[in-house]
Amino acid sequence: MEHSLLDYYKAIENASQRMLEAARSEDWDQIVHLEGTCAVLIAQLRHKSRNLQLAPEERQEKARIMQRILRTDAEIRVLAEPWLSDLEQLMDAKQVH
C-alpha cells in the first residue's frame, strides 16, 4: 500500500502523542523508542517528498498537524525538564569523583 505524504505527517503526530503519554507516566525508555520511530518516519517522509508534493488542501492540514506536533513536543520538554535536571546533577557528581 502506497502512503501519502500526509499519512507520514499523521504517523509522526501519532508517535508524538504517544511520546507525550509516555512522558506523563515517566516512561523514558518508551520515549527513546518512540523518538527512534519518529526518526524513521521523518527519513521516509524526506525520501517520499523528493518525488511527491502535497495538494493545497493537504498543505493546510500539514500546517495544523505540525502545530499540534510542536505543542506536544513543548509539553514533553516541560515534563522531561526535571528528569534532565536530575541527569545533569548526576553527571556533575560523577565528574567530581
Side-chain angles (χ1 to χ4, degrees):
M1 180 176 140
E2 187 71 21
H3 294 286
S4 74
L5 291 180
L6 209 51
D7 289 336
Y8 287 98
Y9 287 103
K10 290 176 182 178
I12 294 165
E13 179 184 23
N14 180 275
S16 176
Q17 187 61 43
R18 290 173 43 213
M19 284 175 64
L20 177 57
E21 292 165 10
R24 286 177 175 157
S25 64
E26 298 183 5
D27 186 350
W28 309 116
D29 290 336
Q30 179 68 357
I31 290 172
V32 169
H33 171 75
L34 290 166
E35 283 179 332
T37 299
C38 283
V40 169
L41 289 166
I42 291 166
Q44 291 172 339
L45 173 62
R46 284 185 179 141
H47 178 73
K48 288 280 190 178
S49 66
R50 292 181 193 156
N51 300 318
L52 300 173
Q53 291 186 340
L54 294 172
E57 64 276 2
E58 290 177 317
R59 286 193 288 266
Q60 291 175 341
E61 179 64 15
K62 171 196 164 188
R64 288 189 291 269
I65 291 169
M66 292 302 296
Q67 288 172 348
R68 290 190 299 263
I69 290 171
L70 290 171
R71 282 193 300 269
T72 301
D73 184 63
E75 189 172 343
I76 292 167
R77 290 180 189 283
V78 167
L79 292 168
E81 195 62 37
W83 180 80
L84 291 173
S85 178
D86 292 346
L87 180 61
E88 286 176 6
Q89 288 176 358
L90 285 172
M91 292 179 72
D92 288 343
K94 281 191 167 197
Q95 288 177 1
V96 170
H97 291 87

